[in-house]
Structure formats: structure tokens, C-alpha cells
Amino acid sequence: MNCEYQHKVNKKEIPVCNILGVNIAAINMEWLLDFTDKNIKDLSGDYMCVSNVHTTVTSYDDPDYCAVQNGGIMAIPDGGPLSSVGRKRGHANMERTTGPSYMGEILKISAEKGYRHYFYGSTEETLEKLYKALNENYPGIQIAGMYSPPFRPTTPEEDAAVVKRINETKPDFVWVGLGAPKQEKWMAAHQGIVDGFMVGVGAGFDYFAGNIERAPEWMQKCNLEWMYRLIQDPKRLFKRYLVTNTKFIWNAVVRGK
């Protein structure tokens, strides 16, 4: 994380609720879209975390990752339990604000606003499907570029070449789909180096490429999207949900941390 980075947007204007040490933005989608529209140029070089129970509990256990979560312009409440805790703590307007939903809202207005998008992460196959789907579903979208990084750590030379490649395309948004905690650490390491507003959207690339389906809207509204994802990928998610959800309930809900 770039400790010397100076945010061009005043973070004090963003309402937050501290949950397990993470300053979760006490906002809703309408507020976030208005904030983005007013500040997109000044958000270039900065990043936004899309936070859920898993990332928040991980931050509680790992001070370095907590600093990464708090080091961007904000951490939005992607997980329903975060916004529920926030409302119980007095933030009446705090609502679940997911990364894929934010990405979708931005894509809808991109042609009108002239936004340029760069996509960093996932596989070549998924990026090809994503490119096709975005052009079909969002006529006039400007895809500045796409890059599927290697699964091994990159060398400093490789990283510098990728940064140069991204910056030459002059993107407004750099969508990062590496999964947590990798994507947040990547954004923090490139704060003030990569041009464009970096947003870590996890499985967002897969959703928009059509690789996996999002939960029905009624499940999303009832904070049950985690259950839908668990049914889709039980081997990977069962242990994570069991451990992190239990820790979250005990520490954030029962103990009030």
C-alpha cells in the first residue's frame, strides 16, 4: 500500500461504520452512483474495496489486510450482514451495495457518460466471453483493454509493463477480478500508479461473462445471495462460510466490535 498517497477526494465526506476495524461506507447505491459521477476524474489512481463478511473477518485477523481495506477511498458494504449491523448502529440509510450491481449500474450509463473501461483479472477465456457479452448488452461501451495476469507472482518488469499498458489506454475505471484478498492487495500496491478508478469486483467478471448466475433478486434483497453461491460452489465455500460467518456473528453482532 502506498502510505504517502494523498486522496484527491475528501474521505471525511464519506459516512462510515466501523465493523471489526474496517471502516465500511454507510451508504446506498444511489449515494454511490452520485458520488462516482461527481468525482470520477479525481478518483483516478485510487481504489475501492467491495467488502463482505469474509473480507471483514479476514481484516479482523490480519492488521495488514485491514490497512489495505481502509487505505482506499472507501470499502462498500457488499455483504448484507454488514449493512444490517450498520443500520442497527444508527446508519438508517445504509444498504447492501454489491460490486457486481455497482458495475452493472456504471456499465448502463457508460455510453452516455463516455466512460472507458479496463478489465484486469480472470482467464483469457472468460475475458473473451466478457468482451462479447458487454458489447452485446451495452451498445456503445468503450472497452479500453483487458488483461489476464499469470497465476504466479509477476516480476517487477512484467508489472511495470502491465501498468504502462493500462495507463496508455486512459481508462476511467479499472475493474479488478482477482478474488479476495488478492485483488485488494493488488489495488493497494498500485494506488497512485495505475490511472483510472480501481474497483475489486471478485466474481463480477464471471457474472457478466455468463459463467455463473447471480441469485434471483428476491434472494439478493433477503441477504441470501451467499446461500445461492454456496449451492453453486459448495466445496470451496462451505468451510469459508462456516468459519467466517460464525466469527462475524460472535464478534460483530454479539460483542459489538
Side-chain angles (χ1 to χ4, degrees):
M1 185 173 53
N2 185 353
C3 296
E4 297 178 3
Y5 183 79
Q6 296 293 317
H7 301 282
K8 301 184 204 74
V9 179
N10 185 2
K11 283 183 72 167
K12 291 179 181 177
E13 295 177 358
I14 302 168
V16 297
C17 177
N18 188 283
I19 302 175
L20 301 184
V22 182
N23 293 320
I24 303 294
I27 59 164
N28 54 40
M29 185 64 77
E30 184 181 5
W31 186 97
L32 183 57
L33 292 172
D34 183 61
F35 174 87
T36 304
D37 182 55
K38 289 176 179 173
N39 297 292
I40 187 60
K41 293 302 178 188
D42 287 334
L43 290 169
S44 180
D46 216 333
Y47 69 92
M48 182 170 78
C49 294
V50 172
S51 303
N52 54 30
V53 167
H54 173 63
T55 61
T56 306
V57 169
T58 302
S59 297
Y60 183 65
D61 293 333
D62 181 351
D64 290 338
Y65 185 55
C66 188
V68 166
Q69 285 278 324
N70 289 332
I73 189 62
M74 74 178 97
I76 63 173
D78 180 273
L82 297 179
S83 53
S84 295
V85 168
R87 286 194 299 275
K88 285 178 183 174
R89 295 183 184 181
H91 299 280
N93 295 322
M94 190 171 176
E95 295 176 4
R96 183 178 184 228
T97 312
T98 76
S101 294
Y102 173 70
M103 184 174 166
E105 293 297 327
I106 293 297
L107 292 173
K108 283 180 196 172
I109 59 174
S110 288
E112 173 196 341
K113 298 283 186 181
Y115 291 149
R116 292 175 57 77
H117 303 272
Y118 199 99
F119 298 86
Y120 181 93
S122 198
T123 63
E124 291 283 359
E125 182 186 9
T126 294
L127 290 181
E128 285 175 17
K129 291 172 72 174
L130 181 63
Y131 182 86
K132 184 179 178 184
L134 293 179
N135 278 293
E136 285 178 0
N137 296 322
Y138 303 97
I141 188 173
Q142 296 184 56
I143 299 175
M146 294 179 154
Y147 180 71
S148 173
F151 284 96
R152 57 169 175 78
T154 55
T155 66
E157 292 76 19
E158 287 173 327
D159 187 68
V162 170
V163 169
K164 184 172 183 287
R165 180 174 170 176
I166 294 172
N167 290 349
E168 283 176 348
T169 70
K170 296 181 168 40
D172 295 292
F173 293 87
V174 179
W175 303 100
V176 185
L178 300 174
K182 191 175 180 181
Q183 64 194 13
E184 290 81 23
K185 292 179 179 179
W186 187 88
M187 293 189 297
H190 293 83
Q191 190 179 38
I193 298 169
V194 164
D195 293 339
F197 182 34
M198 294 175 280
V199 184
V201 289
F205 288 19
D206 286 314
Y207 289 137
F208 285 93
N211 289 345
I212 54 177
E213 288 185 19
R214 283 198 75 182
E217 202 156 317
W218 71 266
M219 291 188 84
Q220 294 181 42
K221 288 179 179 176
C222 294
N223 292 343
L224 292 173
E225 190 161 16
W226 66 271
M227 185 183 292
Y228 194 81
R229 289 197 65 200
L230 178 61
I231 293 167
Q232 288 178 309
D233 194 359
K235 282 186 179 178
R236 186 174 69 89
L237 296 175
F238 180 77
K239 187 178 178 182
R240 178 206 284 188
Y241 285 163
L242 180 66
V243 173
T244 57
N245 287 12
T246 303
K247 276 190 176 181
F248 182 84
I249 291 167
W250 173 245
N251 289 298
V253 180
V254 178
R255 298 176 70 199
K257 290 202 166 194

